[in-house]
Amino acid sequence: MDFDFALLLVVLTGVSGVVWLFDWLLLARLRTRHAESIKTMTALSEPEREARARAALQEPVPIEYARSFFPVLLVILLFRSFIAEPFKIPSGSMMPTLLVGDFILVNKFAYGLRLPVLNTKILAVGEPKRGDVFVFRYPQNPKEDYIKRVIGLPGDEITYRNKTLSVNGKQVGEVDLGAYTGASEPGHRMDGAQVKREDLEGVEHRILENPQVWVGHEGTWTVPAGNYFAMGDNRDNSADSRFWGFVPEKNLVGRAFVIWMNWDGGIDFSRIGTVIR
């Protein structure tokens, strides 16, 4: 069963907000009136009237919690929905750019403001650009988030053959940077992997290729209107648009922009604050 944190956050914020509002509009006034009526009870001693009045003004525990948590939950909801959302990298499909255990922040307004849970766009701000590292809901299971790089924009023709990428008939430039010596991904062959610098119309970034591994999924694709073609930087170990198709605009989540933590059995301080390109 998939855990929908966004839905849980919306529900908790809504419930705590309704409880707080109901108390502010009605219950708090009733408590005040009750406390004032106690103070007029001449049959009680003054200390007893004061004690009972203070007790009458005391907020019930659920209301106290709602009043305390509502503003915190609201700030988290607004920040996570419209500004930035944290994600953890679970696989090596974006190596060497992103490693297993990287915690990243995703710009939620880069591709338009969307309502939480419903994911309905309410304000168009921008669109994905070629070379962006972006997060989206996996088209075959929208409850699952994927992160890849934007390779093709609507209308583009993308060709991938013999480990060579072409966009609109023009081969994408590559520079060989030598053997890969970074972190490995358990269960996947890394010996022989080569790092290359790829230039996607001025957006330079590193990719990983392994001459000893054959993905076996080649072809030419024309990107439909309102869709994007996504590929992982780890070209021989990435389930991406070459296999399952295009990313619809409605599935966009945001653009990844920084690594704020790395934890894979220990903290890698060298990756903290790394800008994602």
Side-chain angles (χ1 to χ4, degrees), residues 248-264:
E249 191 276 338
K250 65 180 181 180
N251 286 47
L252 299 180
V253 173
R255 178 176 58 82
F257 67 95
V258 71
I259 299 170
W260 64 271
M261 175 62 74
N262 174 280
W263 176 271
D264 189 23

Side-chain angles (χ1 to χ4, degrees), residues 30-141:
L30 293 177
R31 290 196 299 273
T32 300
R33 291 175 185 173
H34 183 46
E36 291 174 349
S37 67
I38 291 175
K39 291 180 180 180
T40 63
M41 295 180 180
T42 55
L44 301 175
S45 64
E46 185 174 347
E48 189 173 3
R49 289 198 301 270
E50 291 296 328
R52 290 193 179 186
R54 284 195 300 271
L57 290 172
Q58 185 68 37
E59 291 180 339
V61 172
I63 292 175
E64 184 179 354
Y65 278 137
R67 181 174 57 82
S68 300
F69 286 119
F70 172 67
V72 177
L73 291 170
L74 181 61
V75 169
I76 294 174
L77 176 62
L78 293 176
F79 184 86
R80 186 180 184 275
S81 300
F82 303 122
I83 299 177
E85 181 177 356
F87 287 88
K88 181 183 179 182
I89 303 302
S91 73
S93 70
M94 282 297 292
M95 293 171 64
T97 305
L98 297 172
L99 305 179
V100 174
D102 280 344
F103 289 81
I104 66 171
L105 285 178
V106 172
N107 182 335
K108 295 298 292 286
F109 59 84
Y111 306 142
L113 297 184
R114 300 173 187 267
L115 293 176
V117 181
L118 298 177
N119 298 308
T120 303
K121 183 186 287 189
I122 57 175
L123 180 63
V125 178
E127 298 176 346
K129 298 179 178 59
R130 199 185 327 277
D132 282 1
V133 176
F134 71 147
V135 172
F136 54 91
R137 297 188 304 282
Y138 180 37
Q140 296 186 3
N141 180 12

Side-chain angles (χ1 to χ4, degrees), residues 10-254:
V10 168
V11 170
L12 291 177
T13 305
V15 170
S16 61
V18 168
V19 171
W20 170 79
L21 183 62
F22 182 67
D23 178 70
W24 180 68
L25 292 175
L26 180 63
L27 299 184
R29 298 180 183 182
L30 293 177
R31 290 196 299 273
T32 300
R33 291 175 185 173
H34 183 46
E36 291 174 349
S37 67
I38 291 175
K39 291 180 180 180
T40 63
M41 295 180 180
T42 55
L44 301 175
S45 64
E46 185 174 347
E48 189 173 3
R49 289 198 301 270
E50 291 296 328
R52 290 193 179 186
R54 284 195 300 271
L57 290 172
Q58 185 68 37
E59 291 180 339
V61 172
I63 292 175
E64 184 179 354
Y65 278 137
R67 181 174 57 82
S68 300
F69 286 119
F70 172 67
V72 177
L73 291 170
L74 181 61
V75 169
I76 294 174
L77 176 62
L78 293 176
F79 184 86
R80 186 180 184 275
S81 300
F82 303 122
I83 299 177
E85 181 177 356
F87 287 88
K88 181 183 179 182
I89 303 302
S91 73
S93 70
M94 282 297 292
M95 293 171 64
T97 305
L98 297 172
L99 305 179
V100 174
D102 280 344
F103 289 81
I104 66 171
L105 285 178
V106 172
N107 182 335
K108 295 298 292 286
F109 59 84
Y111 306 142
L113 297 184
R114 300 173 187 267
L115 293 176
V117 181
L118 298 177
N119 298 308
T120 303
K121 183 186 287 189
I122 57 175
L123 180 63
V125 178
E127 298 176 346
K129 298 179 178 59
R130 199 185 327 277
D132 282 1
V133 176
F134 71 147
V135 172
F136 54 91
R137 297 188 304 282
Y138 180 37
Q140 296 186 3
N141 180 12
K143 293 184 178 180
E144 186 176 355
D145 292 315
Y146 267 33
I147 182 167
K148 305 292 179 185
R149 190 178 296 276
V150 178
I151 301 297
L153 304 178
D156 283 347
E157 182 182 84
I158 307 299
T159 299
Y160 188 77
R161 285 193 176 89
N162 298 321
K163 299 185 185 293
T164 299
L165 175 65
S166 298
V167 178
N168 296 324
K170 182 179 179 181
Q171 183 174 323
V172 174
E174 289 184 353
V175 176
D176 196 337
L177 300 180
Y180 176 69
T181 58
S184 61
E185 184 181 11
H188 293 277
R189 187 175 180 178
M190 300 298 296
D191 56 300
Q194 299 288 314
V195 181
K196 295 184 177 182
R197 184 171 66 244
E198 185 175 78
D199 186 347
L200 276 172
E201 296 184 355
V203 179
E204 295 188 349
H205 57 277
R206 295 182 303 158
I207 63 172
L208 205 59
E209 291 183 355
N210 194 332
Q212 301 180 43
V213 176
W214 184 252
V215 174
H217 215 80
E218 303 179 327
T220 297
W221 302 265
T222 299
V223 186
N227 286 263
Y228 299 89
F229 192 91
M231 291 179 67
D233 288 350
N234 190 350
R235 294 292 160 80
D236 299 308
N237 181 27
S238 173
D240 49 41
S241 290
R242 293 172 292 176
F243 297 87
W244 42 254
F246 307 103
V247 179
E249 191 276 338
K250 65 180 181 180
N251 286 47
L252 299 180
V253 173

